[in-house]
Amino acid sequence: MTIRIDTDMRAGSGRFLIGDTTADAVFTREDLSEEQLLFGRAAEEFMRTEVVPRAAEIYAKNWPLTRELIRKAADRDFTRLEIPEAYGGLGLDKVSTACVGEQLGLLPSFAGSLGAHTSIGTLPIVYFGNDEQRQCYLPRLANGELIGAFALTEPEAGSDALSARTTATLTPDGKHYSIRGQKLWITNGGFADIFTVFAKVDGKHFTAFIVERGMGVISGAEEHKLGLDGNSTTALMFDDVKVPVENVLGTVGEGHKVAFNILNLGRVKLGTRNIGGAKQALSAAVKYAIGRKQFGQSIASFGLIKHKIAEMSVRCFVGDAMVFRSLGEVDAALSKVDANDGAAVLKEIEEFAIECSINKVWSSEALAYVVDEALQVYGGNGYSREFPAERAYRDARITRIYEGTNEINRLIVGTRLAKSSAVTTAMASGASAAEQGGSAERQLLARAKRLTMQTLALASKKYGKGLSSEQEVVGRLADMAIEVYALESAILRAEKMQKRGGGNAATALDIVTVFAADASDRLGIAAKNALATLEGPNAGAAIDRALSELRHGPVDTIAARRRVADAVIEAGRYPL
């Protein structure tokens, strides 16, 4: 049985696995409106003129300056993007906010400070606050008068947030909660004014609170970090901090809804910042390679340097295709609900939890690859702080940890796919993407979807409700799904570029050629590992069938990579 997805069919919840999608049905960077591009250009101009020139002061932990720059960002509306108009904001779409976030990555430390304020520092009140709370706090968060932060992690509660030990006890007069405990790794912890704090009421009911610094919050010393050393990260201490009962955010006992939904919201937009950072690292490495002479010629002319430039470019292109596809789908879903109805908005975004986690994992690992290879292009100079590669390398490392570690996000992808009603219905009916004519990459994609669905069905049948405990298998299922989403997104973007024409279309096709050739191998490794466990002693035949399904090529990827690298070198930067 085959299914085709058209532009009217709902996206999200892993539906990309169960049908064929046309290029016209997805949003790509090439679809950005002039207004959305304008927001991105304005953010870039702000960063280059106001923030980057003061980088040394930011790295010196001049928090009054950081606050001043956040207020300047507010003057340019960058703190208002997702706040409803009724509370002093602009109420913009996710694509527009992501365009701004991409450019803020020109200085990741400041991007972390501003991003923590505008996203996890503000959105809990946007989506879970009552009208009185919104009226009280959102206008001042919008104009930069107040700086927000998010206090979830504890010494004994990292990925397992619900094991928090911070407590909230109702005072005898019934007017306040007394909060006691400690939080760790709080971005903006040294200077924020408003915190979303999670504590267990009576030691049992996990609950979110709006806590003002003046209520008695004490910041610890600044953490000495590997990267992002220009933003404030501290512990927070709560010793009988009295919080009015009116500052409960949402409902007592439902703090998990606040925490997990807000983290999911962050993942919607995180991908553009990661890929933006990758593009910056790539462009800087290309410029250096062009100017660096060895053996009488530019190192950009060397085959192995071209290989690195091409591989970095592949990741930038594919990452862009993935994150803008997801953002476009989220915006399309949100356009059908009342933007002021926080519960309805969150319900729609929840439908994309799988895709958001996929983008978080893929984009952060792509960034890690690019900054590593960019440093390698610099050679010994890359190891020196006089050149930009080492700081990008250090700053990138946290992206695989925050917003849920990549391990946690892989588990989200695998277990949610097994529980998705759309996916389970398709598994029960034997539905799969149609393998049609057309490009070899399209045919590989269809076979990869079918194999992923079959492997997922096999795992679900074998383990049932216990699948989530089989983390290694779940991780391999997630890897297969992530690879499928990346491959399809790249194909769709390249096809759309081909239809529209333009000088970069040929480069896009070369990128897809290279990516598909390597994706078939990565899919094969993940499938082989999963099937060896799922099929046991008789796995040989199943593995042989899987590897046969994924056979692709032969493809001259060396020639394709050379063409990609030549296009990037000719442009002197990443051009797509």
Side-chain angles (χ1 to χ4, degrees):
M1 178 179 179
T2 59
I3 295 177
R4 175 172 296 280
I5 293 180
D6 59 33
T7 55
D8 295 324
M9 192 170 185
R10 185 184 181 90
S13 295
R15 288 176 174 84
F16 66 89
L17 274 179
I18 59 177
D20 304 309
T21 306
T22 64
D24 292 336
V26 297
F27 188 91
T28 69
R29 175 175 286 278
E30 290 70 34
D31 294 318
L32 290 170
S33 69
E34 184 56 37
E35 183 180 15
Q36 289 166 334
L37 290 169
L38 183 61
F39 273 109
R41 288 194 291 267
E44 180 183 10
E45 187 271 340
F46 168 71
M47 292 298 295
R48 293 194 184 281
T49 60
E50 297 285 353
V51 179
V52 173
R54 308 193 73 173
E57 297 171 83
I58 292 171
Y59 293 132
K61 298 178 172 52
N62 183 339
W63 306 141
L65 171 62
T66 296
R67 290 189 68 111
E68 176 189 336
L69 291 172
I70 291 175
R71 284 194 294 271
K72 288 186 175 182
D75 292 340
R76 291 163 172 79
D77 291 334
F78 301 142
T79 58
R80 308 173 188 272
L81 303 181
E82 294 185 81
I83 296 175
E85 293 182 62
Y87 303 101
L90 299 180
L92 290 183
D93 56 85
K94 303 303 178 188
V95 169
S96 295
T97 61
C99 288
V100 170
E102 179 180 30
Q103 298 304 326
L104 296 179
L106 284 165
L107 193 71
S109 282
F110 180 75
S113 300
L114 182 58
H117 166 68
T118 59
S119 184
I120 56 177
T122 297
L123 296 184
I125 301 175
V126 170
Y127 292 114
F128 291 94
N130 57 40
D131 186 61
E132 183 178 350
Q133 292 167 340
R134 291 176 179 177
Q135 292 285 2
C136 177
Y137 294 112
L138 290 183
R140 291 186 289 165
L141 288 165
N143 65 22
E145 175 189 345
L146 299 178
I147 304 299
F150 188 78
L152 176 63
T153 303
E154 297 186 7
E156 303 299 326
S159 297
D160 182 14
L162 296 183
S163 66
R165 296 183 179 180
T166 298
T167 61
T169 305
L170 195 63
T171 56
D173 62 9
K175 294 182 178 180
H176 295 81
Y177 282 98
S178 172
I179 296 182
R180 295 180 182 273
Q182 183 180 2
K183 299 293 181 178
L184 291 182
W185 301 109
I186 309 307
T187 304
N188 293 347
F191 61 84
D193 308 291
I194 300 293
F195 305 88
T196 299
V197 178
F198 297 85
K200 288 184 175 177
V201 173
D202 298 328
K204 299 177 181 178
H205 308 292
F206 192 68
T207 304
F209 297 85
I210 303 171
V211 182
E212 300 177 16
R213 179 176 291 277
M215 293 172 182
V217 180
I218 299 174
S219 298
E222 292 290 338
E223 299 287 350
H224 299 287
K225 299 172 294 186
L226 172 69
L228 296 186
D229 42 329
N231 69 31
S232 173
T233 306
T234 73
L236 298 177
M237 276 67 76
F238 302 85
D239 184 10
D240 192 25
V241 173
K242 297 292 196 307
V243 180
V245 294
E246 293 81 11
N247 280 37
V248 169
L249 188 59
T251 303
V252 171
E254 296 190 353
H256 61 287
K257 293 184 178 180
V258 181
F260 299 150
N261 276 291
I262 294 305
L263 291 176
N264 198 41
L265 276 167
R267 295 176 194 132
V268 172
K269 300 163 293 180
L270 184 63
T272 49
R273 205 162 89 193
N274 286 340
I275 300 303
K279 292 176 188 176
Q280 293 162 31
L282 167 58
S283 292
V286 169
K287 182 178 180 180
Y288 179 84
I290 293 171
R292 175 71 168 171
K293 300 294 193 296
Q294 292 287 281
F295 306 103
Q297 57 185 307
S298 165
I299 66 170
S301 66
F302 297 157
L304 288 181
I305 298 297
K306 286 188 176 184
H307 178 92
K308 293 181 186 301
I309 290 171
E311 280 296 287
M312 290 188 279
S313 300
V314 166
R315 283 162 175 78
C316 290
F317 179 90
V318 176
D320 248 359
M322 295 169 69
V323 297
F324 277 105
R325 174 186 182 181
S326 295
L327 286 164
E329 290 171 346
V330 169
D331 276 339
L334 293 181
S335 69
K336 300 173 183 176
V337 301
D338 180 359
N340 294 313
D341 185 346
V345 169
L346 290 172
K347 183 177 180 181
E348 289 298 325
I349 291 177
E350 179 71 9
E351 283 288 309
F352 295 90
I354 293 170
E355 289 79 5
C356 291
S357 287
I358 284 175
N359 281 320
K360 194 278 181 183
V361 170
W362 202 96
S363 67
S364 62
E365 293 178 1
L367 173 61
Y369 178 91
V370 172
V371 296
D372 183 76
E373 287 290 77
L375 190 152
Q376 192 72 12
V377 169
Y378 281 80
N381 285 336
Y383 211 65
S384 168
R385 293 196 173 185
E386 294 182 15
F387 292 83
E390 66 84 26
R391 183 176 290 282
Y393 183 93
R394 290 187 290 109
D395 285 346
R397 187 59 185 86
I398 189 61
T399 64
R400 286 179 278 164
I401 298 173
Y402 64 24
E403 303 284 2
T405 65
N406 283 13
E407 291 72 27
I408 289 294
N409 277 285
R410 278 186 164 88
L411 295 178
I412 290 172
V413 172
T415 55
R416 280 185 176 261
L417 280 173
K419 296 176 182 177
S420 166
S421 59
V423 174
T424 54
T425 299
M427 287 193 295
S429 64
S432 65
E435 184 175 347
Q436 301 176 342
S439 70
E441 291 78 20
R442 269 281 184 181
Q443 294 175 46
L444 170 64
L445 174 64
R447 298 194 303 272
K449 286 187 179 186
R450 181 167 62 236
L451 178 62
T452 302
M453 289 286 288
Q454 289 170 347
T455 310
L456 182 61
L458 187 62
S460 297
K461 181 179 179 180
K462 179 170 183 174
Y463 297 117
K465 293 182 179 179
L467 176 60
S468 61
S469 298
E470 303 296 328
Q471 291 193 355
E472 299 96 324
V473 173
V474 173
R476 299 297 73 76
L477 291 170
D479 286 340
M480 294 176 72
I482 291 168
E483 206 68 59
V484 165
Y485 192 76
L487 177 58
E488 182 172 60
S489 299
I491 290 171
L492 294 171
R493 184 184 179 195
E495 288 178 349
K496 180 170 278 192
M497 293 175 71
Q498 283 293 301
K499 287 183 179 181
R500 294 180 177 178
N504 290 326
T507 302
L509 281 183
D510 278 330
I511 286 174
V512 170
T513 297
V514 169
F515 186 76
D518 290 348
S520 67
D521 294 334
R522 291 189 294 268
L523 280 158
I525 291 170
K528 182 169 64 173
N529 278 272
L531 290 170
T533 295
L534 294 172
E535 296 281 13
N538 301 316
I543 290 173
D544 287 343
R545 286 194 299 272
L547 296 181
S548 177
E549 282 277 272
L550 296 171
R551 191 170 293 120
H552 179 69
V555 178
D556 187 354
T557 57
I558 290 177
R561 282 190 179 91
R562 284 177 179 169
R563 291 192 294 271
V564 172
D566 287 341
V568 176
I569 292 166
E570 182 179 359
R573 59 178 178 80
Y574 177 74
L576 295 166

